[in-house]
Amino acid sequence: MNWLIAISNILINPIFYKSMLNNATPLIFASLGGTYSETTGVVNIALEGIMLAGAFASVVFTYITGSPWIGVLMAMYVGGAMGMLHALASVKYKGDQIVSGTALILLSQGITGFLLQRIFGEPGSSELVKTLPTWNIEIFRRIPFIGSIIGNLSPLVYIAFICVILSHFLIFKTKLGLRMRAVGENPEAADTLGINVYNVRYFGVIMSGVLASLGGAFLSVGELGQFTENMSNGRGFIALAAMIFGNWKPFGAMWASLLFGMAESFSYQIQTQSILRLPPEIKYLFLMIPFVLTLVVVAGFVGKTRSPASDGIPYEKE
Amino acid sequence: MGEKGEYNLSIAKSIMVEIDRMDIKKLSECKVAMIGITKRFPGVLANDKVNLYVKEGEIHAIVGENGAGKTTLMKQLYGLIKLDSGTIFMNGKKIVINTPGDAILNGIGMVHQHFMLVPPLTVAENIVLGMEPVKGIVFDINKAREDVKELSEKYALHVDPDVKIEDISVGMQQRVEILKTLYRGADLLILDEPTAVLTPQETEELFTVMKSLKKQGKTIIFITHKLNEVMAITDYVTVMRLGKVTGRVNTKDTNPNELARMMVGRNVLLRVNKKPPHFGKKIFEIKDLWVKDNRNLDAVKGLSLQIRKGEILGIAGVAGNGQSELVEAITGLRRAEAGKIVFDGMNITNWTPKQVRKAGIAHVTEDRLKYGLIVKYPISYNFILAHYDEVPYSNGGFLNFNTINTKADKLIKEFDVRTPSRDVLVGALSGGNQQKVIVAREFYFTPKFAVVAQPTRGLDIGAIEFIHNKILEMRDKGIGMLLVSMELEEIFSLSDRIAVMYEGEIMGIVKPEETTVETVGLMMAGARLTEIKADDSRYEEKDV
């Protein structure tokens, strides 16, 4: 009974939904990124590391310039560069995509940890910097209940959803999108039709870096105004699960990210329900919810969704 | 050098001079001419100073065995492989082709042996891919659909632009491939072994299409190793062997025997000598077998058959109609969902591969590299893969190398495996010798029954002859055999009875000497033997 009351308390509180959107945003960016990369046939598990680098770069450049927007732009630049590195290793030099991705994650953790101390003088976390000012959207705000959820959020939240729509349009309605899908399914066929397989894959992987780093920037200058060590905290991997659950489609990735965002939001809100009288250490169990959900999703749905046929296989011309 | 050698040399010289003279005159009247093409891969000279002349508006066959360099030559013309040296002329002018894009610009289109299609995309999307019509920045799917419709009407190649490639038949996919080249304005079409995947009827349809394309002024290069097809459809033949051109001849001035001689370099028997059969009692039986494929769909649907000792039952059919699943179910590699497999009085349904082998069933696998051999093992290890844990090959967990080596040497000799030693890695052997290793392993340990899948896929005529003779030798020793092959000729020349499989069912069982390729072809396309017979008798009645 107490549980029912607690859960309905959560469900009628707009904060639950607002926190869901905030939690989902980095996942949406990163899972969109994964979708770009894997649609063209390159597995990018480096998302985790790219998010971390994006979070760090945005804080550093906000700290230097005083403008969080410049921080976000530089995060995109750094993310694109890391995507480029992954593309060089796995597209041009045909290295193992998992190995290259893992290397990038470790590289990113090492470099951010090192530079954190160098720039801010102490380990663990950076100084506080300006966050992106939230956007007040009057039309939304006037809607009862919903308005208090979506009327006043970080601009990156709105941008995430706009990116979903644009990505869907790009992948399914444009010439480039058709070519991306063809390259991910059967690169040899695309090649025989005069399509440059490598260029299309470079595009996909670089875009995945840019988008994932936006997710990272949201974590730091979008929400917290600070960088803490290893702050992506597994979100890159959850984003990969969201991409799979979303069947390698932008809207699918969005819905899956929202589900994971909701799970995360729930795991925080349930702890605030005093009626349950939960022991404080239980929070560690609740923090597992998103990961358990990831496991269930990946184990339960992988066979039912369909990845691009050449996903993960380097393309070699004769 | 002996007298004979000098004589050969002088002939060779005179031929060279003649070719040089032809060059200048011919180039101007050729649609495409490839002169002095040389291409070297690591360890192989794939094309050795090849000259090819294709006249405008002709159907030009390039024949040769696997590894003769036909496909390599064409891939250079299409820009998929860069040429080491040589020149390409088109309509009398020298052209440079570095990428498929260059080839397309020059009006060259290629239909590859393995289709270059994107299965989840639609027919229209596949055809326009790379040259997509756009409206602003949007891909104009409606225009693509109309273009495809128009094109398919113009060339009488009917396709539905809106279905996905993964949902249409192989014959239909091939049409899409041809339309792809025509959409790009190709007037020279290269067809690389286009009939390998087709039923006889689909092949006939393809020939009709080829003739109509020729009528519309297109030039076609037709790569094949099936000589009857060369005789049926082409105007001119270029024969290749081991990277060199070994003959050029007008189709009407030649015959299959002459072409075969040019292909192989010696006289070959195009038919095997089969002794009259001596059937024993029933050794193998399948009752109402159901098997699922990897996508969890029914691949074998209630199949039943019986095989006697000393009998070869050939399974004919287009690839992908459940043959692989059938073989895997028998040999224990795939679970049978329902039904019964009985061998020598034992119910062996869903036994493990090892149990099946121990019971006395040999298995020549369909894919020799994937399932048949461990390519990074030497020949001697590959011989004992099924028996490594038995005396005398091992004892108390230790391998007995003396026995293994003696056995290997014996098998190498007996099965004519061409190798410098038993320690050579199997991966380094030619396809024919690899297949001999498998056949030696499977047949030497005197099985009671053998499942033989695609025994000669991709082999040259010499190796095919050898393996066919070995198979017949086993049959004459009284071993029952299930032979699965996509090559109708092989099925007809080896089988005592032919069962035709279509979508997991047997359409009918016939004797090769009492049936025709047409009847089997109809069954391969899904007609039941009973229906065909009914149709025939109706016609007969009409005649009367």
Side-chain angles (χ1 to χ4, degrees):
Chain A
M1 196 62 206
N2 283 352
W3 278 92
L4 272 181
I5 295 169
I7 289 173
S8 42
N9 271 343
I10 293 171
L11 291 182
I12 56 166
N13 191 347
I15 291 191
F16 170 65
Y17 299 99
K18 197 167 171 172
S19 132
M20 170 183 88
L21 290 180
N22 279 327
N23 292 327
T25 297
L27 299 179
I28 292 177
F29 277 124
S31 58
L32 270 186
T35 305
Y36 272 85
S37 177
E38 299 211 358
T39 298
T40 64
V42 182
V43 171
N44 188 358
I45 66 158
L47 293 177
E48 171 78 9
I50 298 176
M51 282 178 99
L52 190 65
F56 184 71
S58 61
V59 164
V60 169
F61 286 95
T62 308
Y63 179 70
I64 295 171
T65 65
S67 158
W69 281 111
I70 292 182
V72 170
L73 278 179
M74 291 311 290
M76 289 166 72
Y77 185 79
V78 168
M82 286 186 71
M84 184 78 189
L85 269 181
H86 185 50
L88 271 179
S90 59
V91 178
K92 186 162 185 215
Y93 295 107
K94 299 163 188 76
D96 187 296
Q97 298 172 6
I98 302 296
V99 172
S100 160
T102 310
L104 277 175
I105 294 173
L106 296 174
L107 184 77
S108 176
Q109 285 171 348
I111 288 188
T112 53
F114 170 73
L115 288 179
L116 183 66
Q117 283 218 39
R118 267 300 160 100
I119 295 172
F120 296 100
E122 54 183 300
S125 57
S126 75
E127 283 175 31
L128 285 172
V129 297
K130 255 208 238 162
T131 54
L132 288 170
T134 56
W135 279 355
N136 250 324
I137 300 183
E138 270 310 314
I139 324 165
F140 288 169
R141 282 189 67 119
R142 283 199 212 115
I143 314 170
F145 190 74
I146 309 250
S148 47
I149 301 169
I150 63 170
N152 186 13
L153 290 164
S154 167
L156 286 177
V157 179
Y158 302 108
I159 290 173
F161 285 91
I162 293 169
C163 280
V164 171
I165 298 167
L166 290 181
S167 301
H168 176 82
F169 178 79
L170 178 91
I171 293 176
F172 291 104
K173 302 288 176 197
T174 70
K175 190 165 109 173
L176 177 61
L178 185 70
R179 291 179 176 196
M180 285 169 67
R181 285 182 285 147
V183 164
E185 287 290 341
N186 189 349
E188 221 179 344
D191 194 12
T192 58
L193 296 173
I195 292 171
N196 189 322
V197 173
Y198 299 134
N199 285 354
V200 172
R201 288 194 163 176
Y202 268 100
F203 172 78
V205 181
I206 291 172
M207 278 303 289
S208 82
V210 171
L211 285 162
S213 68
L214 275 174
F218 175 79
L219 291 174
S220 59
V221 299
E223 262 186 324
L224 203 58
Q226 192 184 27
F227 176 83
T228 59
E229 209 166 348
N230 202 13
M231 79 185 300
S232 51
N233 196 17
R235 285 187 183 81
F237 296 111
I238 296 185
L240 282 176
M243 169 197 75
I244 294 169
F245 191 31
N247 207 4
W248 288 267
K249 292 189 171 105
F251 276 103
M254 178 193 81
W255 291 119
S257 298
L258 284 171
L259 180 72
F260 285 119
M262 187 153 80
E264 202 179 336
S265 172
F266 182 80
S267 74
Y268 288 120
Q269 298 297 323
I270 196 80
Q271 294 167 47
T272 65
Q273 299 299 316
S274 46
I275 190 172
L276 294 177
R277 282 190 216 93
L278 296 169
E281 62 274 15
I282 198 131
K283 89 170 191 209
Y284 295 106
L285 278 184
F286 281 124
L287 287 178
M288 283 170 32
I289 291 180
F291 296 95
V292 172
L293 189 64
T294 306
L295 213 63
V296 170
V297 159
V298 171
F301 285 89
V302 161
K304 296 182 182 71
T305 56
R306 184 173 170 216
S307 70
S310 299
D311 201 5
I313 307 164
Y315 178 59
E316 224 151 335
K317 271 178 103 96
E318 276 176 80
Chain B
M1 191 181 287
E3 215 172 275
K4 206 173 171 201
E6 277 166 27
Y7 171 72
N8 282 340
L9 196 68
S10 73
I11 289 185
K13 272 185 185 159
S14 69
I15 290 174
M16 286 305 293
V17 172
E18 195 188 333
I19 288 173
D20 281 346
R21 255 193 235 119
M22 288 194 316
D23 283 357
I24 304 132
K25 191 172 74 70
K26 266 190 157 179
L27 280 183
S28 56
E29 57 187 59
C30 277
K31 178 72 196 167
V32 71
M34 301 177 77
I35 310 292
I37 305 294
T38 298
K39 178 73 203 178
R40 186 182 290 277
F41 291 124
V44 201
L45 194 54
N47 284 158
D48 184 7
K49 298 190 208 77
V50 172
N51 294 346
L52 174 76
Y53 312 94
V54 180
K55 283 201 202 113
E56 174 130 32
E58 74 178 357
I59 299 181
H60 188 117
I62 300 181
V63 299
E65 300 197 293
N66 288 294
K70 304 164 294 192
T71 302
T72 304
L73 185 67
M74 288 301 108
K75 281 190 168 169
Q76 292 172 89
L77 180 55
Y78 193 64
L80 284 168
I81 303 178
K82 286 210 173 77
L83 25 91
D84 290 349
S85 67
T87 321
I88 300 173
F89 293 87
M90 221 173 156
N91 303 318
K93 265 181 272 168
K94 186 179 165 183
I95 56 168
V96 177
I97 295 174
N98 288 322
T99 65
D102 296 341
I104 292 167
L105 282 179
N106 280 297
I108 303 171
M110 181 160 180
V111 174
H112 301 266
Q113 195 174 352
H114 306 288
F115 294 158
M116 299 289 181
L117 296 167
V118 186
L121 299 187
T122 67
V123 167
E125 285 172 332
N126 266 282
I127 291 175
V128 303
L129 189 64
M131 286 183 71
E132 306 87 348
V134 285
K135 208 191 264 169
I137 57 161
V138 183
F139 164 52
D140 191 349
I141 181 70
N142 289 324
K143 174 86 167 46
R145 205 180 282 148
E146 276 162 33
D147 286 353
V148 167
K149 264 192 189 140
E150 196 180 305
L151 201 65
S152 80
E153 271 158 33
K154 183 175 169 194
Y155 292 103
L157 280 159
H158 297 291
V159 291
D160 178 351
D162 297 319
V163 292
K164 287 185 179 173
I165 295 294
E166 58 199 2
D167 297 330
I168 60 179
S169 71
V170 172
M172 205 50 107
Q173 290 179 2
Q174 191 167 58
R175 283 188 180 185
V176 175
E177 283 281 22
I178 295 175
L179 282 169
K180 256 165 76 177
T181 66
L182 296 171
Y183 179 77
R184 281 157 185 75
D187 49 13
L188 171 70
L189 275 72
I190 306 164
L191 308 179
D192 189 0
E193 307 244 0
T195 59
V197 290
L198 302 181
T199 65
Q201 280 77 10
E202 283 175 326
T203 303
E204 277 307 311
E205 278 172 39
L206 174 70
F207 285 176
T208 316
V209 168
M210 284 167 69
K211 278 179 199 152
S212 101
L213 287 172
K214 181 181 155 185
K215 234 179 242 162
Q216 305 213 28
K218 307 281 181 197
T219 308
I220 298 173
I221 298 178
F222 175 52
I223 303 178
T224 185
H225 61 253
K226 295 182 181 164
L227 299 177
N228 51 348
E229 292 176 355
V230 173
M231 300 310 294
I233 182 88
T234 65
D235 302 306
Y236 197 87
V237 192
T238 296
V239 187
M240 289 183 72
R241 176 157 60 92
L242 300 173
K244 291 193 174 114
V245 171
T246 50
R248 291 191 183 81
V249 61
N250 278 312
T251 309
K252 62 176 190 311
D253 300 334
T254 188
N255 57 58
N257 283 324
E258 191 189 29
L259 289 175
R261 199 160 52 237
M262 287 192 273
M263 272 167 70
V264 187
R266 60 180 171 85
N267 284 317
V268 269
L269 271 176
L270 290 175
R271 289 241 159 246
V272 288
N273 285 322
K274 195 161 74 176
K275 288 184 198 146
H278 295 286
F279 299 141
K281 60 180 198 298
K282 183 173 79 190
I283 179 88
F284 184 81
E285 183 174 16
I286 294 178
K287 284 181 195 158
D288 192 30
L289 183 72
W290 290 77
V291 187
K292 286 190 166 160
D293 66 10
N294 289 340
R295 292 168 303 167
N296 217 17
L297 304 172
D298 287 323
V300 177
K301 304 168 187 164
L303 181 140
S304 301
L305 53 80
Q306 299 186 352
I307 300 170
R308 287 164 288 181
K309 285 184 177 171
E311 178 183 45
I312 299 180
L313 177 73
I315 302 261
V318 180
N321 274 293
Q323 300 97 318
S324 310
E325 286 81 4
L326 172 66
V327 166
E328 287 171 8
I330 296 172
T331 52
L333 293 167
R334 186 179 287 273
R335 217 170 73 85
E337 303 290 328
K340 227 170 161 190
I341 304 169
V342 182
F343 163 67
D344 206 10
M346 296 174 281
N347 181 354
I348 63 160
T349 322
N350 288 329
W351 280 21
T352 64
K354 190 161 190 165
Q355 288 173 315
V356 172
R357 277 190 174 278
K358 299 266 175 219
I361 296 183
H363 179 199
V364 175
T365 56
E366 159 180 285
D367 185 330
R368 43 177 180 275
L369 298 181
K370 212 166 158 192
Y371 299 112
L373 297 165
I374 298 181
V375 288
K376 291 192 173 164
Y377 270 12
I379 298 170
S380 53
Y381 288 12
N382 272 285
F383 278 138
I384 55 154
L385 283 183
H387 302 270
Y388 65 92
D389 55 347
E390 290 169 11
V391 180
Y393 305 106
S394 69
N395 223 333
F398 292 95
L399 291 174
N400 190 345
F401 287 99
N402 282 336
T403 337
I404 293 171
N405 290 342
T406 337
K407 173 71 54 155
D409 288 339
K410 197 174 162 210
L411 285 179
I412 286 171
K413 204 162 157 233
E414 200 171 311
F415 283 81
D416 190 29
V417 181
R418 309 271 168 85
T419 168
S421 94
R422 61 178 181 249
D423 299 321
V424 169
L425 300 189
V426 155
L429 298 177
S430 73
N433 284 309
Q434 289 174 344
Q435 193 69 9
K436 284 178 188 170
V437 170
I438 295 183
V439 168
R441 177 182 73 212
E442 297 300 326
F443 287 178
Y444 182 78
F445 294 93
T446 42
K448 293 184 198 155
F449 182 73
V451 179
V452 180
Q454 305 272 44
T456 59
R457 178 150 73 179
L459 303 191
D460 57 47
I461 293 184
I464 292 176
E465 244 183 334
F466 183 89
I467 285 177
H468 280 180
N469 286 331
K470 280 288 168 197
I471 289 175
L472 288 175
E473 210 177 278
M474 295 301 281
R475 157 196 180 253
D476 295 337
K477 279 187 191 161
I479 287 152
M481 238 181 268
L482 180 79
L483 168 74
V484 176
S485 175
M486 308 299 141
E487 298 284 342
L488 262 191
E489 240 183 274
E490 180 165 82
I491 291 280
F492 267 85
S493 52
L494 295 181
S495 311
D496 295 305
R497 286 185 301 146
I498 301 173
V500 185
M501 248 179 116
Y502 174 76
E503 293 197 341
E505 292 180 65
I506 287 182
M507 293 290 113
I509 299 185
V510 288
K511 287 187 179 159
E513 61 276 11
E514 291 170 4
T515 188
T516 59
V517 174
E518 285 70 34
T519 309
V520 171
L522 283 172
M523 289 195 277
M524 282 164 70
R528 284 180 196 280
L529 184 60
T530 45
E531 295 162 12
I532 300 170
K533 277 187 176 157
D535 267 6
D536 285 352
S537 56
R538 216 176 310 149
Y539 285 126
E540 276 159 24
E541 276 164 30
K542 263 184 208 161
D543 286 345
V544 176

